[in-house]
Amino acid sequence: MTRFKLVPEPPERVEAVAEAQRAVPLVPGTEDDCCARLMRRLEFPSRDVARTWLTFLRALELAEERETGFVRRSQEPTPAHLRSAFLDRVYGAREVRDALTAEPRDADAVFARFEARVPVWEHHKDPSGWRETWRERVGFILDWLVLLGLAERRAEGYVVDETGRSVGTDGADCGR
């Protein structure tokens, strides 16, 4: 199964994922067209942010790339679907969640546990900046886990419940 690395900064509301999905065209469009459309409809500040969201929507199985371009999928972004797709298809999501326990861990402690999983070629691609890139990505993953109800953020750090299971996965709304 393909896992995607790009993770956008989490929005304030999980409903923003559905809004982003609706901004992807039903008729296939080029990456440039789709990014321009995401920027226009969602007021993303740059093409890079829009491209990251387009890739993330693909990871969540809410958009797909075809020979003729990118297109919106009919998959509903339900809480259960978002949780499952996020853990299965976003590189590092499952591993970051698994690094959490009932004892709070801050983002740096979680990154320290995840760091060995950063692909070696990433070290060579950006020798002086890969740690900062991946530290930020782990922080975004942690905040997505919270947004999706897969973890909880406390003043001392991020946690899952004492059994190691995710919190808030009873099908309830996964807002912050």
Side-chain angles (χ1 to χ4, degrees):
M1 173 183 301
T2 301
R3 293 178 78 195
F4 296 78
K5 290 184 314 183
L6 295 181
V7 179
E9 183 174 356
E12 291 297 316
R13 307 171 297 107
V14 75
E15 295 81 15
V17 175
E19 293 165 7
Q21 180 192 25
R22 286 191 298 272
V24 176
L26 290 170
V27 176
T30 66
E31 182 177 292
D32 285 339
D33 291 344
C34 290
C35 288
R37 188 173 158 131
L38 285 163
M39 288 174 64
R40 197 171 48 252
R41 289 188 176 201
L42 302 171
E43 299 179 4
F44 288 145
S46 70
R47 187 185 181 288
D48 282 345
V49 170
R51 185 177 64 82
T52 297
W53 266 94
L54 185 58
T55 300
F56 188 65
L57 290 170
R58 288 177 54 215
L60 298 178
E61 300 176 314
L62 301 175
E64 68 180 300
E65 183 177 16
R66 297 182 180 165
E67 285 184 24
T68 54
F70 292 87
V71 63
R72 179 183 340 156
R73 293 189 64 194
S74 61
Q75 173 65 53
E76 288 292 320
T78 64
H81 174 80
L82 293 177
R83 289 180 188 117
S84 175
F86 185 76
L87 291 173
D88 291 344
R89 296 180 45 92
V90 173
Y91 184 80
R94 190 173 339 130
E95 295 81 359
V96 166
R97 193 233 14 225
D98 291 348
L100 298 176
T101 65
E103 294 299 315
R105 290 200 167 126
D106 66 17
D108 287 336
V110 174
F111 176 73
R113 294 180 63 92
F114 177 80
E115 186 173 6
R117 294 189 174 269
V118 175
V120 174
W121 68 268
E122 292 274 351
H123 303 209
H124 300 293
K125 183 176 93 173
D126 185 11
S128 63
W130 70 268
R131 276 190 179 85
E132 189 57 38
T133 297
W134 280 89
R135 186 173 279 115
E136 178 183 65
R137 193 168 288 160
V138 165
F140 287 170
I141 289 171
L142 285 165
D143 288 339
W144 274 104
L145 290 170
V146 170
L147 183 67
L148 296 174
L150 294 166
E152 184 178 319
R153 181 180 25 231
R154 297 182 182 160
E156 314 82 45
Y158 297 86
V159 298
V160 292
D161 75 12
E162 58 280 346
T163 64
R165 292 185 315 231
S166 301
V167 296
T169 56
D170 59 0
D173 180 19
C174 37
R176 284 191 199 197

Short mmCIF file of all heavy atoms in Angstrom, two decimals, residues 52 119 172:
data_model
loop_
_atom_site.label_atom_id
_atom_site.label_comp_id
_atom_site.label_asym_id
_atom_site.label_seq_id
_atom_site.Cartn_x
_atom_site.Cartn_y
_atom_site.Cartn_z
N THR A 52 0.43 20.35 -1.15
CA THR A 52 0.48 19.47 0.02
C THR A 52 -0.92 18.96 0.35
O THR A 52 -1.10 17.76 0.61
CB THR A 52 1.11 20.20 1.23
OG1 THR A 52 2.45 20.55 0.89
CG2 THR A 52 1.09 19.34 2.48
N PRO A 119 13.30 8.05 6.38
CA PRO A 119 14.05 7.35 5.33
C PRO A 119 15.46 7.94 5.15
O PRO A 119 15.64 9.17 5.17
CB PRO A 119 13.20 7.59 4.08
CG PRO A 119 11.82 7.84 4.60
CD PRO A 119 12.02 8.55 5.91
N ALA A 172 -17.75 9.27 17.47
CA ALA A 172 -18.20 10.62 17.75
C ALA A 172 -17.47 11.61 16.86
O ALA A 172 -16.48 11.28 16.22
CB ALA A 172 -17.92 10.95 19.23
#
